[in-house]
Amino acid sequence: MAPSTPRVVVGIDVKKRPWEQLVPLHNRWHPDIPPVADVKEGELVRVEMVDWTGGRVGDNNSAEDIKSLDLTITHYLSGPLRVLDTDGKLAQPGDLLAVEICNLGPLPGDEWGYTGTFDRENGGGFLTDHFPCATKAIWYFEGIYAYSPNIPGVRFPGLTHPGIIGTAPSHDLLNIWNERERKLAETDTGSLKLCEVVHQRPLASLPTPKNCLLGKIKEGSPEWQKMANEAARTIPGRENGGNCDIKNLSRGSKVYLPVFVEGANLSTGDMHFSQGDGEVSFCGAIEMSGFLELKCEIIRGGMKEYLTPMGPTPLHVNPIFEIGPVEPRFSEWLVFEGISVDEAGQQHYLDATVAYKRAVLNAIDYLSSFGYSKEQAYILLSCCPCEGRISGIVDSPNAVATLAIPTAIFDQDIRPKTGKVPKGPKIQRSPDVIKCTYDGKLPVTKNLGGTQT
């Protein structure tokens, strides 16, 4: 007998706001957020999700929605899902939850996405010192392929994946997160020595009741008030998995997540059609609504058996990821190198972040000679299936990072030419990405048209 279709445990209506969904969503991590459904081992279930902003970014020619986005909303997650074994016994703290991603993609009727860069006044991103204004590019999907009217001459297959997948923290782990991140947030930024040239945003985003959504917990109740003041933001990846933005977690992948609370309380969201390693523009994947079809397995006692604590408690562990067999295949790449010497010529000691920044900047500058604006190149390198590597971390004082771009995604040959062969006619690339500019104190958005040569 053929297997049944996946059971929908979280359904989404993209015409409704996150807090209006039939199955409640949440945008914080907390052990007391109630599960919305039970899932048994081996059962194939379907989880639908809004885009990470809950529909606040539109398919239009304005970057004002990116510029003014309130980041206290992030991210809207579907779940938690309480996981039971075939005997009806819940996953227990100390177990390992193996989550197999069987299928995923955009929601039918909502086959589009966007990539953006945040404005300097709203947190910025990896290259804010070079790109201080908010920008946006819209992408449309043709099956497995994406193209953008804002970045002409580019088409590539997406490696679709959830940016966030994780289990709920225990109260002890939540306290560890909040304490260590509070101490970091109180750091004098003038004392930073590592990666200080890329520091733009707050060092950590601490709990806040503002825009806090806690699933079934009613806003304004005493329980909500207590939880909202201690629930962890979803911005970074942590011991529970979370916002790891690993582009290879696609069809056929398996994620081994530590279990910290009874039932595991699995949540997921932040679906990406495609992303480059590093997601360098911060709002940098092709963000979209989507669905995830998955199966779970409980490995009893798996945390102790398979995960080694890297910290003072048994809770200081990290997930293991098994990459799936389905990925785009490219045979030719152009690779850009960066070392830990910044744009001012200052030497940094084995700083892989500075080295990766240099590799990205080198690639952006190179692509700008082929008809693309630097804003187009920046967004493209954030969301296309490029490969980032820490290539060397041992030869002091320079760390070496590389960024590899598949050449087949372009409609022109971008490889360096030998001899005196000219590059050929100048290629028109119009329109440019949608960009926010300023007129005095009033924000104005415009589509930067014209010819790029």
Side-chain angles (χ1 to χ4, degrees), residues 83-356:
V83 183
L84 308 86
D85 64 18
T86 54
D87 295 324
K89 296 180 180 179
L90 294 170
Q92 295 295 320
D95 292 343
L96 207 58
L97 185 68
V99 182
E100 182 181 356
I101 298 174
C102 300
N103 195 21
L104 74 177
L107 290 179
D110 203 40
E111 294 95 348
W112 72 280
Y114 60 89
T115 307
T117 62
F118 285 122
D119 192 90
R120 178 177 52 197
E121 303 303 320
N122 195 25
F126 191 51
L127 300 181
T128 303
D129 48 346
H130 294 265
F131 300 94
C133 296
T135 63
K136 183 174 78 176
I138 299 296
W139 298 88
Y140 299 115
F141 309 146
E142 297 176 331
I144 66 170
Y145 291 95
Y147 72 94
S148 173
N150 306 118
I151 310 178
V154 173
R155 184 173 183 262
F156 52 82
L159 187 55
T160 305
H161 61 281
I164 296 180
I165 186 166
T167 52
S170 64
H171 284 280
D172 287 343
L173 184 56
L174 179 64
N175 291 336
I176 289 171
W177 292 353
N178 287 339
E179 178 64 15
R180 74 189 184 197
E181 292 176 19
R182 180 189 60 78
K183 288 181 179 179
L184 179 62
E186 294 172 353
T187 300
D188 176 13
T189 56
S191 67
L192 292 176
K193 297 300 179 185
L194 183 65
C195 307
E196 70 268 26
V197 297
V198 297
H199 165 61
Q200 314 285 343
R201 289 166 280 162
L203 297 180
S205 297
L206 302 181
T208 175
K210 183 179 181 183
N211 289 321
C212 181
L213 196 62
L214 296 173
K216 294 180 179 180
I217 305 298
K218 185 177 180 181
E219 183 175 355
S221 67
E223 184 180 14
W224 180 91
Q225 194 67 44
K226 178 182 182 299
M227 291 171 60
N229 281 293
E230 61 189 20
R233 303 290 303 282
T234 58
I235 292 174
R238 299 186 182 93
E239 286 84 351
N240 69 325
N243 193 25
C244 295
D245 291 320
I246 299 174
K247 68 180 176 60
N248 303 88
L249 295 181
S250 192
R251 289 177 180 84
S253 298
K254 189 174 284 188
V255 189
Y256 298 89
L257 296 166
V259 175
F260 301 106
V261 301
E262 190 174 70
N265 285 3
L266 174 72
S267 297
T268 185
D270 188 28
M271 185 65 81
H272 298 164
F273 186 85
S274 176
Q275 180 203 296
D277 283 337
E279 197 184 6
V280 291
S281 75
F282 190 18
C283 184
I286 299 182
E287 310 284 350
M288 68 173 192
S289 64
F291 73 91
L292 189 66
E293 294 174 358
L294 57 85
K295 294 192 299 184
C296 294
E297 178 186 356
I298 300 170
I299 303 175
R300 297 295 184 185
M303 279 180 62
K304 184 177 180 180
E305 183 73 19
Y306 295 107
L307 304 183
T308 302
M310 292 295 177
T313 79
L315 302 176
H316 288 81
V317 294
N318 293 104
I320 299 172
F321 301 94
E322 185 177 338
I323 301 304
V326 182
E327 294 188 2
R329 291 180 296 179
F330 300 102
S331 59
E332 296 182 353
W333 303 74
L334 201 59
V335 182
F336 296 87
E337 181 180 313
I339 60 175
S340 49
V341 176
D342 65 32
E343 303 92 291
Q346 180 181 350
Q347 180 73 64
H348 298 261
Y349 180 71
L350 295 179
D351 193 325
T353 303
V354 173
Y356 197 61

